[in-house]
Amino acid sequence: MPSAGFDSLPLSMAMNLSTLGEFGLISHLARMTPSRGGGVVLGIGDDAAVVKGPKGMNLLLAACDTVIEKIHFEKGASGKEIGWKAMARNISDIAAMGGLPRYALVAATLPRSLLKGRALAIHQGILKAAKDFGIMVVGGDTSHHSGGIHLTVTILGEVHPRHLLTRSGARPGDVVCVTGSLGGSIYGKHLAFTPRMEEARFLARSRFKPTSMIDLSDGLASDLMRLAEQSGVGFEVHAESIPISTEIARRHQRFDDRVRHALADGEDYELLFTVKPGDFSQLQKSWKRRFKLPVTMIGRVRPRSFGLKLLSDGRTKAIKSRTNDHFLD
Amino acid sequence: MPSAGFDSLPLSMAMNLSTLGEFGLISHLARMTPSRGGGVVLGIGDDAAVVKGPKGMNLLLAACDTVIEKIHFEKGASGKEIGWKAMARNISDIAAMGGLPRYALVAATLPRSLLKGRALAIHQGILKAAKDFGIMVVGGDTSHHSGGIHLTVTILGEVHPRHLLTRSGARPGDVVCVTGSLGGSIYGKHLAFTPRMEEARFLARSRFKPTSMIDLSDGLASDLMRLAEQSGVGFEVHAESIPISTEIARRHQRFDDRVRHALADGEDYELLFTVKPGDFSQLQKSWKRRFKLPVTMIGRVRPRSFGLKLLSDGRTKAIKSRTNDHFLD
């Protein structure tokens, strides 16, 4: 799409980020940004960028993401957890594209008062994730400031064009699936999750290759909305089918509360994907032979006009994304 | 080199970053980080990482760098200048490797109170640099915090293996050269510099291909030290030959002050390189036909045992890097 240019933007320049919201800003920036040509297969708008390698060779994937003290982790998080999380979020993005992570660059902006032991523990967390997923840390940048810990990780990966999974291929009738269970990541999982790399690679290479896939970072509701937008479809989600985490099940007795957490909590880092209507039962059989992690059918893709609806006890209601908008927290 | 591991590090874990210094931290982190295998040609320690493309194809370059409010620019800087600088610093790193920049990812952490007009102006600065240097912005991340503007840009580029320039090839006897003039970047250039892409590409492809090259980001003294370390050599620099910027010449009458600024100010974003002894005069002729920007011989490569010395008025003194160490400011 051509750059929309500064002047044509509809929102007032006097809005600040709290009013505008991160998603609003990103979509505006994306509209301003040229996205065709130069070997770009997919620019802004999916889990990772995709650029063409030389003819016949693998596509290059690139994703980047920042974790910030007091937003993505609290002071009590260990250095290793922080480093792991900064890496794992990006690895999860590469997984969601069907790719393999290869290289990482780490830009660390650290408090001047940070103890060296903590800086090194962060780096150990980074290196642990790198080792576990076969990634080489090839570069980065270190600076200081008066605020908290900021880590920006860029991960480069690769994917064979046949195995590329995007957000844009869901079609009405497809089955909507999710791995693992959702909600309550704040009780620990958000610092210690395992990116679903093996599961994603299995899906990308299987006979049941998903028609679309995304990793659940901002919450089922928000990420469904992204899939809906990019695929130009609607979704019907069956509340009773949503797999609820034990953290949430233990803490909440009311069904509605459980579902609300599963939809809105975010940072599940599970895979949300769609497969062709006939494929799910075979996929599930094949899956169970390989993985302990459950895979669950939670709904159906519908036409765009249907919107995003939750079916519960025979009634439907609209799913609103909590926006999980960092600027609106 | 193998990972040195946490326990074997000589410095006390109780040192904080102010004591340890950024360079100290980076070299420790680099020592902890596996750097062989997996297609890595050059990991941490040069202007950009170099990884192997498929056989016979170009190498992939990756560089990443953060600019931070109050450290790399003041509140008075325009959004466009900030965006430009964040991109241009990385473009300069790709240039210093002899490469061509291709793709950028931008991670922006912005103050919640930032006006939308300023956010968009930053993005315009990013896009202007992208357009001028043929780069596609393919991804990124936006978040907010209570501090100032942080922009981390990752640039991916490519270089033919024959044209790759690193920090490690300087040999005793080589001539030391610098483009442009040095010092006083704080008076404006640091926000508006042009990465020396054309000049670097010319050098990388010419008969006078440098034996080593680096871009001057932290100041001539610091960056000479880096070349010295990576190449395992010493340097003799002729004070009278150092090209002094008009900003410094206008503000300082004393020769020593001028040289001090040229050595220590940093953010010149000129190219510092070494060529074989016989090549300089031919290179200069060829250069003058193409570029208005001057290229100047400022010294000689010496054996490592010589150290880093400034020759002035027949006397020598040791060059100490101002450390320009962000943690020691």
Side-chain angles (χ1 to χ4, degrees):
Chain A
M1 103 191 83
S3 164
F6 191 89
D7 291 330
S8 64
L9 293 165
L11 296 174
S12 156
M13 291 302 128
M15 287 180 80
N16 68 26
L17 295 184
S18 307
T19 330
L20 179 60
E22 186 194 355
F23 289 174
L25 181 66
I26 288 177
S27 74
H28 274 83
L29 299 185
R31 244 177 286 159
M32 287 170 69
T33 308
S35 62
R36 298 269 163 165
V40 178
V41 178
L42 261 182
I44 297 170
D46 213 303
D47 291 303
V50 184
V51 303
K52 265 188 199 145
K55 274 192 197 101
M57 301 310 298
N58 282 354
L59 300 170
L60 179 68
L61 302 171
C64 109
D65 188 80
T66 304
V67 295
I68 302 169
E69 192 166 335
K70 289 191 201 165
I71 297 176
H72 303 99
F73 57 90
E74 295 299 329
K75 266 211 179 316
S78 76
K80 273 190 125 171
E81 287 172 328
I82 297 166
W84 174 273
K85 179 169 185 174
M87 288 287 284
R89 278 164 65 101
N90 283 283
I91 295 168
S92 182
D93 281 329
I94 299 290
M97 308 295 292
L100 260 188
R102 297 290 308 278
Y103 306 105
L105 296 102
V106 181
T109 302
L110 303 171
R112 217 183 266 98
S113 60
L114 193 74
L115 292 180
K116 183 169 168 246
R118 188 154 167 87
L120 294 181
I122 291 171
H123 195 58
Q124 282 196 306
I126 290 167
L127 292 184
K128 175 74 166 67
K131 196 176 168 206
D132 287 3
F133 290 91
I135 297 165
M136 302 290 293
V137 177
V138 292
D141 181 44
T142 315
S143 36
H144 83 304
H145 69 154
S146 53
I149 296 166
H150 293 225
L151 289 182
T152 301
V153 171
T154 301
I155 290 197
L156 307 179
E158 60 178 321
V159 62
H160 190 284
R162 262 205 317 274
H163 302 141
L164 178 66
L165 292 168
T166 72
R167 298 179 181 176
S168 62
R171 294 296 169 258
D174 287 355
V175 169
V176 184
C177 308
V178 73
T179 63
S181 61
L182 310 184
S185 169
I186 191 77
Y187 301 114
K189 185 183 178 188
H190 79 107
L191 287 174
F193 65 94
T194 304
R196 302 307 185 194
M197 182 58 64
E198 274 183 66
E199 294 83 355
R201 295 285 288 176
F202 163 72
L203 290 169
R205 289 154 176 266
S206 79
R207 290 190 292 125
F208 324 107
K209 188 189 164 191
T211 53
S212 72
M213 188 151 84
I214 187 173
D215 73 319
L216 287 175
S217 55
D218 286 339
L220 180 59
S222 296
D223 292 324
L224 272 171
M225 209 158 282
R226 289 194 169 117
L227 267 195
E229 268 169 31
Q230 298 281 320
S231 290
V233 297
F235 285 106
E236 157 192 317
V237 176
H238 309 138
E240 284 78 4
S241 304
I242 298 174
I244 306 290
S245 72
T246 49
E247 286 74 19
I248 291 301
R250 202 187 308 143
R251 284 173 176 87
H252 297 275
Q253 302 309 316
R254 290 188 51 227
F255 177 72
D256 282 3
D257 289 341
R258 292 177 172 189
V259 171
R260 191 167 39 79
H261 278 282
L263 280 166
D265 279 0
E267 302 225 44
D268 298 304
Y269 302 106
E270 296 293 348
L271 298 169
L272 172 68
F273 60 97
T274 56
V275 293
K276 293 213 185 84
D279 280 353
F280 182 71
S281 61
Q282 278 300 314
L283 161 64
Q284 202 177 29
K285 268 185 210 156
S286 182
W287 180 281
K288 280 183 177 168
R289 283 197 296 271
R290 277 174 186 77
F291 307 113
K292 279 189 200 160
L293 187 79
V295 63
T296 313
M297 169 178 166
I298 60 164
R300 286 276 177 184
V301 183
R302 296 289 226 118
R304 168 182 267 174
S305 58
F306 181 85
L308 252 68
K309 296 214 175 84
L310 189 71
L311 266 68
S312 179
D313 208 10
R315 297 165 56 203
T316 64
K317 61 178 173 187
I319 298 176
K320 284 178 196 150
S321 134
R322 169 181 86 100
T323 72
N324 191 340
D325 189 325
H326 294 161
F327 285 113
L328 300 175
D329 279 354
Chain B
M1 105 192 82
S3 165
F6 191 90
D7 292 329
S8 63
L9 293 165
L11 296 173
S12 157
M13 291 302 129
M15 288 181 79
N16 68 26
L17 295 184
S18 307
T19 331
L20 179 60
E22 187 193 355
F23 289 175
L25 180 66
I26 289 176
S27 74
H28 273 83
L29 299 184
R31 243 177 288 159
M32 287 171 70
T33 309
S35 62
R36 300 266 162 168
V40 177
V41 178
L42 261 183
I44 296 170
D46 213 304
D47 292 302
V50 183
V51 303
K52 266 189 198 142
K55 275 193 196 99
M57 302 310 298
N58 282 353
L59 300 170
L60 180 67
L61 302 172
C64 110
D65 188 80
T66 304
V67 296
I68 302 170
E69 193 167 333
K70 291 190 200 163
I71 297 175
H72 303 98
F73 57 89
E74 295 298 329
K75 266 212 179 316
S78 77
K80 272 190 126 170
E81 287 172 328
I82 297 165
W84 174 274
K85 179 170 185 174
M87 289 286 286
R89 278 164 65 101
N90 283 284
I91 295 168
S92 182
D93 281 330
I94 300 290
M97 309 294 293
L100 259 188
R102 296 292 306 279
Y103 306 104
L105 295 101
V106 181
T109 303
L110 303 171
R112 219 183 265 100
S113 60
L114 192 74
L115 292 180
K116 185 173 168 239
R118 189 155 166 86
L120 295 181
I122 290 171
H123 196 58
Q124 282 197 306
I126 290 167
L127 293 184
K128 175 74 167 66
K131 197 178 167 203
D132 287 3
F133 289 91
I135 296 165
M136 302 290 294
V137 178
V138 293
D141 181 43
T142 315
S143 35
H144 83 303
H145 70 153
S146 53
I149 296 165
H150 293 226
L151 288 181
T152 301
V153 171
T154 302
I155 291 196
L156 308 179
E158 59 178 323
V159 64
H160 190 284
R162 263 205 316 275
H163 303 142
L164 178 66
L165 293 168
T166 72
R167 298 179 181 175
S168 60
R171 294 294 169 260
D174 288 354
V175 169
V176 185
C177 309
V178 72
T179 64
S181 62
L182 309 183
S185 168
I186 191 78
Y187 300 114
K189 186 184 178 186
H190 80 108
L191 287 174
F193 65 93
T194 303
R196 302 306 186 194
M197 183 56 65
E198 274 183 66
E199 293 83 357
R201 293 287 286 176
F202 162 73
L203 289 170
R205 290 153 175 265
S206 78
R207 289 191 291 125
F208 324 106
K209 189 189 164 191
T211 52
S212 72
M213 188 151 85
I214 188 173
D215 73 320
L216 287 175
S217 55
D218 286 339
L220 180 58
S222 296
D223 293 324
L224 271 171
M225 209 157 282
R226 290 194 169 119
L227 268 195
E229 269 169 30
Q230 298 283 318
S231 290
V233 296
F235 285 105
E236 156 193 318
V237 176
H238 309 138
E240 284 79 3
S241 304
I242 298 175
I244 306 290
S245 72
T246 50
E247 286 74 19
I248 291 301
R250 202 189 305 142
R251 285 175 175 84
H252 297 275
Q253 301 309 316
R254 289 187 51 227
F255 177 73
D256 281 3
D257 290 340
R258 290 178 173 186
V259 170
R260 191 168 38 80
H261 278 281
L263 280 167
D265 279 0
E267 301 226 44
D268 298 304
Y269 301 107
E270 297 293 347
L271 299 169
L272 172 68
F273 59 97
T274 54
V275 293
K276 293 210 186 85
D279 280 353
F280 182 71
S281 62
Q282 279 299 315
L283 161 64
Q284 202 176 30
K285 270 185 208 155
S286 181
W287 180 281
K288 280 183 176 168
R289 284 197 296 274
R290 277 175 185 79
F291 305 114
K292 279 190 201 157
L293 188 79
V295 63
T296 312
M297 170 180 165
I298 61 165
R300 287 275 179 186
V301 182
R302 295 290 226 118
R304 169 182 266 174
S305 58
F306 182 85
L308 252 68
K309 296 213 176 87
L310 189 70
L311 267 69
S312 180
D313 208 10
R315 298 166 55 203
T316 65
K317 60 178 174 186
I319 297 177
K320 285 178 193 147
S321 133
R322 173 182 83 101
T323 71
N324 190 343
D325 189 326
H326 294 163
F327 286 114
L328 300 176
D329 279 354

